[in-house]
Amino acid sequence: MSLAGPYVFSPSSVYSLNPIFATRHSRFLGISSCRWCLKRLNRIFCSAAASKNGPFTSPETAKCFDFTSEERIYKCSASLLSSIPFSHQDIMIRYFRMNGRPTLWLPGTDHAGIATQLVVERMLASEGLKRSEMSREDFTNRVWEWKEKSSPIKGLSCCNYNGYGNLGLYGGTISKQIRRLGASCDWSREHFTLDEQLSRAVIEAFVRLHDKGLIYHGSYLVNWSPSLQTAVSDLALSFSEYNEGKLFLVSDLEENNIKSDFLTIATTRPETLFGDTAVAVHPEDERYTKYIGRQAIVPQTFGRHVPIIADKLVDKEFGTGILKISPGHDHNDYHLARKLGLPILNVMNKDGTLNEVAGLYSGLDRFEARKKLWADLEEIGLAVIEPLVSKQWFLSMDELAEKALHAVEKGELTILPERFNKTYKHWLTNIKDWCISRQLWWGHRIPVWYIVGNDCEDEYIVARNADEALAKAHVKYGKSVEIYQDPDVLDTWFSSSLWPFSTLGWPDVSSEDFTKFYPTTVLETGHDILFFWVARMVMMGIEFTGTLPFSYVYLHGLIRDSQGRKMSKTLGNVIDPIDTIKEYGTDALRFTLSLGTAGQDLNLSSERLASNKAFTNKLWNAGKFILQNLPIENDSTTWEKILAYKFDTEESVNKLPLAECWVVSELHDLIDNVTCSYDKFFFGDAGRDIYDFFWGGFADWYIEASKTRLYHSGSVSDASIAHAVLLYVFKIVLKLLHPFMPFVTEELWQALPFQNKALIVSQWPQTSLPKDGTSIRRFENLQSLIRAIRNARAEYSVEPARHISACIVGNAEVLGYVSVNYAKQSVHLVAGEGLEAFLPLADMIDVSAEAQRLSKRLSKMQSEYNALLTRLNSPNVPYLLLPFLFFFIALTFNLALCQANLQKGRLAICNLIAKWYVSQYLDVICWNWKAKFLFLQIRCIHRSV
């Protein structure tokens, strides 16, 4: 599927709000002319900058791409947070920019209400301060101070909400990672959800929804956090921290009588903790291995200790990965305790009340004890979440969800991969009203005012600001009334859901950015926030603008470690992208992350990174080879010949020699395939196709073939055509690869001759260029022949530097094109359509030594054969195992027999050669009829083997 309409790209993910919009102009300044080979002029422009000391100044030492030059290449817009989103977004933005389509990537972050307030409160606690002891204004000022200090790059926002209620990275770190990964954002347009423009849009959205009757105030059951003293979204709850109906208790650890750490345990029956006799973790769970063998204190038991043990029956992925062992009240725990020799405690009487083992809770009914225990744990700060009826602000979702659901059903919104359509539809079909209020001080204050002295909270005023609210109050209640604003703030996701249009000037629909860039085309984000953010943006976009905010949703997978585990601080498997870049380079990291399949999680391993680092260096060395073999700068005559070659017509391609015609035809086919993959968002396919062509075709085959023309032809025209093809193919490869690997490709591009603009704004290669299928087939035949010869050399352990003769027989047609192209090569070839090669083994091996080695090997195999035959006929084989042993031994026997026959055949060849061998060297052109007959016999024997 190809994209149509204005090519505008929208937000990336709520981890750090990074919309990609399309712009109608390229933010690019002029570039001066350049010099190539080993010296280049300095070029300064917005997106990229090259220095005087280019990569080829010292070709003897610059054997690999210098990763430290990456930051120099992209000084203005150089970027990993979740890694995958930014690599995919930048691929999209660079691809469509090179296609001449208007593009804009607008970066930004949200304010992460709960997470940010939590971290600042902890910071204040370390200073001996509490939020309750401060005014709201003083507290928010401290948050803004923390924000500025945490963001070393001026103007960058500092808070990131990762969708699970945890504090994300500081904004400075986020922005540093994004820039370091090479994200080509327009940083001059960076936004923060608490910016004045976005705050105005949030208030406007609330007022309009309320005026329409979609926002209401009421008391309903919500998820309440006693420690945070706020409602939390039921959608944002993850089982590892809190979940509706689940109570999470904490056992604190003690070592040398010093409390040092906490373990979080999930249970729906907290009253059974009095019967806990151990805490179990998986022995290979890296989060808890340091605790194995230590003691845990059971809460509310006056310091009773239980051991922390390891057992493979514990599921690392379930809950928190920690199992409380209550042998007296769980069948599985009972059997585990019996196996491990743990004591068994019963805390319950037959009538359902707790016995004396429960201490202060003795005599209470189990349900009453459960409530009281929960309250006590909450009081001491060990409880996390519980359902609670509370008065909150809600947004009615049925009407909004229906429109968003129809957008997918009608095909107006395409979700990639398609399997996530079911998830999207399930959420919207079973949607509940959204609790949008939070009892926090950090965030967008709800634009609702009440009358001072009026205790009825059902009488309120909704307005865009305090002045408007006061004016409305005067009209309704008289001019003597005073008003006060609702202390609650809006859910962070509320402001994030407006991002595609609030960042472009909405509610001012006549603003330049809004008219140019809305609606957008593609949203690229993680599949884990399909409802949290994606569906809500769709609903809000339709509601406030009348159109979908984007037409395509591309969902990437999550990055996991090499073992397939989700990265987390508790597991200690979080990979710092900056450290990874220092070791492997940004291009290798980007390319690795981009090869995944849409919606599939990616296991990031050092092996993959190392492989793609090698690919980066392969690209670098290919460029180095080409540049070092170009003619000197002032050789205008040679350069005129090189630049005169064109490859955009069938006539020009068909006139090329075989190797050149093959590589150009393959390149043109690659352009079509890669462009199609880009258009369909098959980035992994595009990357793999480029990799295979460059390494397996261009570098391994054509560069090697071109050396014959460059070094041994003695013809200026032959060298010129090799120069022209090398430059043409390499430039196209750099363009195709640039969206994946911007740093090394830009560095190489600027070293090439006659480049008047940066690669980032160069034109994408033309598609549907001519191809010669006949040349492709012929060259593939030659490749097969060469591979067969190489395999034979390797099989007989021929030294790489040793030259051998070869005789190739074929028909007149193949003889024509091979002899014309390869008659001057060191190996004499007489080729035909069959391409059957005869290699004189006398040139390849020491016949007597090889015959002696094969004789010893054959003798050993004969002994193994006899031993197997004896075992197979032995009467001592157990009757029941006989069929299985017979099958196994028969397989081994047949394998040994085949190997023995192979060695016999090889030995026969050596003996035959020794019999007919009359001179130390036979040139392929001078073979007599005896030699020809000898090779025919060799071929027959080798085939029979």
Side-chain angles (χ1 to χ4, degrees):
M1 112 211 51
S2 59
L3 303 180
Y7 282 79
V8 188
F9 298 84
S10 70
S12 66
S13 90
V14 84
Y15 302 132
S16 181
L17 304 178
N18 288 282
I20 312 175
F21 303 110
T23 158
R24 298 178 186 274
H25 56 277
S26 300
R27 296 189 173 275
F28 172 78
L29 304 180
I31 318 171
S32 61
S33 59
C34 67
R35 299 170 67 186
W36 50 94
C37 288
L38 306 181
K39 296 181 181 179
R40 296 177 301 158
L41 295 177
N42 185 34
R43 287 184 271 168
I44 302 175
F45 39 91
C46 179
S47 298
S51 67
K52 289 183 179 179
N53 295 323
F56 306 104
T57 303
S58 302
E60 295 82 8
T61 58
K63 295 181 179 179
C64 300
F65 177 51
D66 182 10
F67 303 138
T68 61
S69 66
E70 291 173 342
E71 291 185 85
R72 168 178 57 77
I73 297 174
Y74 288 94
K75 291 181 179 178
C76 296
S77 61
S79 342
L80 182 205
L81 176 62
S82 175
S83 304
I84 291 183
F86 292 111
S87 59
H88 285 158
Q89 290 163 16
D90 202 44
I91 288 173
M92 293 181 187
I93 208 72
R94 290 177 185 273
Y95 169 68
F96 287 108
R97 183 189 292 121
M98 294 176 72
N99 273 278
R101 295 166 179 171
T103 56
L104 168 65
W105 185 357
L106 193 155
T109 52
D110 66 24
H111 59 277
I114 292 178
T116 302
Q117 181 157 319
L118 179 61
V119 76
V120 174
E121 286 191 22
R122 288 175 178 172
M123 180 188 69
L124 293 174
S126 67
E127 302 173 6
L129 298 176
K130 293 183 179 180
R131 175 169 64 98
S132 58
E133 300 171 352
M134 305 172 66
S135 67
R136 184 174 190 136
E137 183 179 0
D138 290 341
F139 178 79
T140 54
N141 287 338
R142 288 299 302 269
V143 179
W144 282 106
E145 290 175 8
W146 174 84
K147 170 191 180 299
E148 297 301 327
K149 290 180 180 179
S150 301
S151 182
I153 304 176
K154 184 178 179 181
L156 297 183
S157 45
C158 66
C159 303
N160 169 53
Y161 190 64
N162 67 7
Y164 293 97
N166 294 327
L167 180 68
L169 299 172
Y170 295 164
T173 303
I174 296 172
S175 299
K176 180 182 178 182
Q177 291 178 345
I178 299 172
R179 291 171 182 263
R180 189 64 184 84
L181 272 171
S184 51
C185 306
D186 186 347
W187 292 99
S188 66
R189 297 171 179 260
E190 184 181 13
H191 279 296
F192 181 45
T193 48
L194 288 180
D195 288 346
E196 181 179 353
Q197 175 187 324
L198 273 65
S199 296
R200 182 167 64 94
V202 170
I203 300 303
E204 182 67 26
F206 184 95
V207 172
R208 292 191 186 186
L209 290 170
H210 181 271
D211 291 346
K212 194 174 180 180
L214 295 179
I215 288 181
Y216 62 93
H217 200 208
S219 296
Y220 297 93
L221 190 68
V222 298
N223 293 294
W224 182 260
S225 170
S227 58
L228 293 172
Q229 287 294 295
T230 182
V232 295
S233 171
D234 55 346
L235 290 171
L237 303 180
S238 70
F239 189 81
S240 62
E241 292 182 43
Y242 38 72
N243 203 346
E244 186 174 6
K246 298 292 188 295
L247 309 179
F248 284 73
L249 313 179
V250 178
S251 294
D252 51 321
L253 303 174
E254 184 172 80
E255 184 177 19
N256 298 326
N257 296 321
I258 300 176
K259 294 180 180 179
S260 58
D261 210 341
F262 296 90
L263 289 179
T264 302
I265 302 174
T267 180
T268 57
R269 302 172 64 197
E271 67 278 6
T272 62
L273 69 85
F274 300 111
D276 290 351
T277 57
V279 175
V281 299
H282 194 282
E284 298 176 359
D285 194 332
E286 297 178 0
R287 295 173 293 178
Y288 309 120
T289 51
K290 62 181 179 181
Y291 301 133
I292 298 173
R294 294 171 61 183
Q295 297 286 314
I297 302 174
V298 181
Q300 303 302 90
T301 61
F302 301 100
R304 182 167 67 87
H305 289 65
V306 296
I308 301 175
I309 63 175
D311 194 280
K312 292 185 177 181
L313 293 178
V314 179
D315 186 353
K316 294 185 293 182
E317 303 297 330
F318 182 77
T320 62
I322 305 174
L323 179 66
K324 59 188 289 293
I325 307 299
S326 307
H329 300 278
D330 185 273
H331 291 286
N332 294 327
D333 290 358
Y334 176 79
H335 292 296
L336 183 61
R338 292 289 300 271
K339 183 183 75 170
L340 300 176
L342 297 173
I344 299 175
L345 296 178
N346 176 31
V347 303
M348 201 170 297
N349 297 314
K350 292 184 178 180
D351 60 359
T353 60
L354 301 190
N355 60 27
E356 65 279 0
V357 176
L360 296 177
Y361 301 87
S362 175
L364 295 177
D365 178 81
R366 65 186 185 279
F367 298 111
E368 183 181 354
R370 184 177 300 174
K371 294 180 180 178
K372 181 175 176 20
L373 179 59
W374 172 258
D376 293 342
L377 290 169
E378 178 183 314
E379 183 177 351
I380 62 177
L382 295 184
V384 179
I385 197 70
E386 74 167 301
L388 181 72
V389 174
S390 175
K391 201 161 193 176
Q392 303 287 340
W393 289 95
F394 293 87
L395 175 60
S396 179
M397 301 299 292
D398 290 339
E399 180 181 337
L400 300 176
E402 184 178 3
K403 296 177 182 178
L405 188 60
H406 288 166
V408 171
E409 292 175 344
K410 294 178 181 179
E412 298 170 355
L413 178 65
T414 302
I415 300 176
L416 303 170
E418 292 183 2
R419 68 175 184 275
F420 285 102
N421 282 339
K422 293 183 179 179
T423 305
Y424 179 89
K425 293 177 181 179
H426 174 77
W427 275 335
L428 292 182
T429 303
N430 299 277
I431 198 169
K432 298 178 181 179
D433 286 355
W434 179 7
C435 176
I436 59 174
S437 53
R438 299 290 181 266
Q439 289 64 55
L440 303 171
W441 284 358
W442 175 249
H444 295 99
R445 192 117 173 232
I446 291 179
V448 171
W449 283 262
Y450 302 97
I451 305 302
V452 175
N454 189 344
D455 296 333
C456 182
E457 292 185 352
D458 291 333
E459 295 184 9
Y460 56 83
I461 296 170
V462 176
R464 291 169 177 80
N465 52 60
D467 293 338
E468 181 182 332
L470 185 59
K472 288 184 177 182
H474 287 168
V475 172
K476 188 174 182 179
Y477 300 102
K479 294 191 182 267
S480 61
V481 300
E482 296 181 2
I483 60 174
Y484 66 94
Q485 190 173 359
D486 193 309
D488 293 353
V489 299
L490 288 165
D491 182 8
T492 303
W493 293 104
F494 187 88
S495 57
S496 299
S497 66
L498 309 176
W499 187 269
F501 46 92
S502 64
T503 53
L504 299 177
W506 187 89
D508 181 7
V509 295
S510 62
S511 64
E512 182 180 358
D513 280 354
F514 187 86
T515 55
K516 283 184 178 180
F517 304 131
Y518 192 84
T520 65
T521 300
V522 180
L523 168 70
E524 199 283 345
T525 188
H527 64 73
D528 53 328
I529 54 174
L530 179 59
F531 182 81
F532 293 119
W533 194 38
V534 178
R536 286 169 173 167
M537 282 192 290
V538 173
M539 289 186 279
M540 293 300 188
I542 296 174
E543 175 64 25
F544 293 117
T545 69
T547 60
L548 286 167
F550 32 75
S551 301
Y552 298 89
V553 176
Y554 180 92
L555 301 173
H556 63 256
L558 303 178
I559 300 178
R560 298 183 179 271
D561 66 11
S562 58
Q563 301 177 37
R565 300 174 302 175
K566 199 170 183 177
M567 292 188 185
S568 68
K569 292 182 179 178
T570 53
L571 280 176
N573 61 348
V574 177
I575 298 176
D576 187 335
I578 302 301
D579 293 339
T580 305
I581 287 171
K582 290 179 181 178
E583 183 175 358
Y584 299 101
T586 307
D587 288 322
L589 176 60
R590 287 175 55 117
F591 195 67
T592 302
L593 298 175
S594 302
L595 295 183
T597 304
Q600 297 281 345
D601 292 351
L602 175 69
N603 295 349
L604 186 61
S605 65
S606 57
E607 291 78 9
R608 289 188 177 187
L609 290 167
S611 173
N612 291 321
K613 177 183 178 181
F615 178 59
T616 306
N617 289 329
K618 187 76 171 180
L619 185 72
W620 177 261
N621 286 321
K624 181 180 173 183
F625 167 81
I626 294 170
L627 289 167
Q628 288 178 336
N629 284 280
L630 290 176
I632 60 176
E633 180 180 355
N634 57 6
D635 190 354
S636 58
T637 303
T638 303
W639 275 110
E640 286 178 3
K641 293 181 179 180
I642 294 174
L643 298 177
Y645 284 102
K646 303 297 178 183
F647 308 99
D648 54 353
T649 64
E650 288 190 12
E651 182 181 2
S652 60
V653 172
N654 294 336
K655 285 183 179 179
L656 293 172
L658 179 62
E660 283 71 21
C661 187
W662 164 78
V663 74
V664 170
S665 298
E666 289 281 30
L667 176 70
H668 291 171
D669 189 54
L670 176 71
I671 295 172
D672 293 343
N673 292 335
V674 169
T675 301
C676 181
S677 294
Y678 273 122
D679 287 337
K680 293 181 177 180
F681 309 110
F682 296 165
F683 304 121
D685 292 346
R688 283 183 286 271
D689 286 345
I690 301 170
Y691 182 100
D692 293 341
F693 169 81
F694 175 77
W695 198 315
F698 181 68
D700 282 357
W701 288 95
Y702 182 70
I703 285 183
E704 295 304 315
S706 69
K707 293 178 181 178
T708 301
R709 301 193 187 281
L710 294 176
Y711 303 147
H712 305 297
S713 67
S715 170
V716 175
S717 60
D718 284 351
S720 295
I721 195 170
H723 286 141
V725 171
L726 284 169
L727 268 178
Y728 174 72
V729 175
F730 192 65
K731 286 168 64 176
I732 297 296
V733 167
L734 292 181
K735 288 184 177 184
L736 298 178
L737 198 55
H738 178 71
F740 291 96
M741 309 175 76
F743 293 104
V744 66
T745 54
E746 188 72 65
E747 185 86 343
L748 290 166
W749 177 268
Q750 294 183 43
L752 295 176
F754 308 114
Q755 302 309 317
N756 296 322
K757 63 168 92 173
L759 179 58
I760 191 174
V761 291
S762 64
Q763 186 177 359
W764 187 257
Q766 180 184 345
T767 57
S768 301
L769 291 170
K771 315 170 193 67
D772 185 354
T774 301
S775 295
I776 293 176
R777 188 185 71 254
R778 289 176 174 178
F779 197 84
E780 287 175 349
N781 287 339
L782 290 178
Q783 287 177 308
S784 300
L785 170 65
I786 294 171
R787 289 191 187 102
I789 294 175
R790 288 173 176 173
N791 292 339
R793 290 175 62 100
E795 185 179 355
Y796 288 95
S797 303
V798 180
E799 300 88 346
R802 184 172 181 175
H803 287 251
I804 64 172
S805 301
C807 179
I808 303 168
V809 180
N811 60 31
E813 179 187 354
V814 179
L815 177 64
Y817 72 76
V818 172
S819 62
V820 169
N821 287 278
Y822 295 97
K824 298 180 181 179
Q825 293 190 25
S826 57
V827 177
H828 301 274
L829 301 176
V830 179
E833 185 62 27
L835 292 179
E836 298 178 61
F838 303 93
L839 303 180
L841 295 183
D843 284 358
M844 299 170 63
I845 58 175
D846 184 329
V847 177
S848 59
E850 181 69 8
Q852 186 177 5
R853 186 187 70 83
L854 289 175
S855 296
K856 291 181 179 180
R857 176 61 180 158
L858 186 59
S859 177
K860 181 180 179 181
M861 294 187 70
Q862 185 66 46
S863 300
E864 294 175 355
Y865 167 82
N866 294 335
L868 285 173
L869 192 61
T870 301
R871 290 178 59 190
L872 195 60
N873 296 324
S874 173
N876 298 325
V877 178
Y879 177 76
L880 292 177
L881 296 179
L882 185 59
F884 304 100
L885 289 178
F886 180 85
F887 178 73
F888 172 75
I889 296 177
L891 283 178
T892 310
F893 171 78
N894 289 330
L895 177 62
L897 185 62
C898 291
Q899 291 178 340
N901 288 334
L902 178 62
Q903 299 301 327
K904 287 180 180 180
R906 289 179 175 174
L907 182 60
I909 292 174
C910 291
N911 292 331
L912 188 60
I913 290 175
K915 180 178 179 182
W916 287 93
Y917 191 60
V918 290
S919 63
Q920 294 184 352
Y921 182 78
L922 291 177
D923 187 87
V924 69
I925 304 299
C926 303
W927 283 335
N928 55 25
W929 65 272
K930 289 185 178 181
K932 292 180 181 179
F933 177 73
L934 166 65
F935 286 119
L936 287 174
Q937 287 184 314
I938 293 173
R939 175 168 168 262
C940 294
I941 296 174
H942 195 71
R943 280 192 171 181
S944 66
V945 173

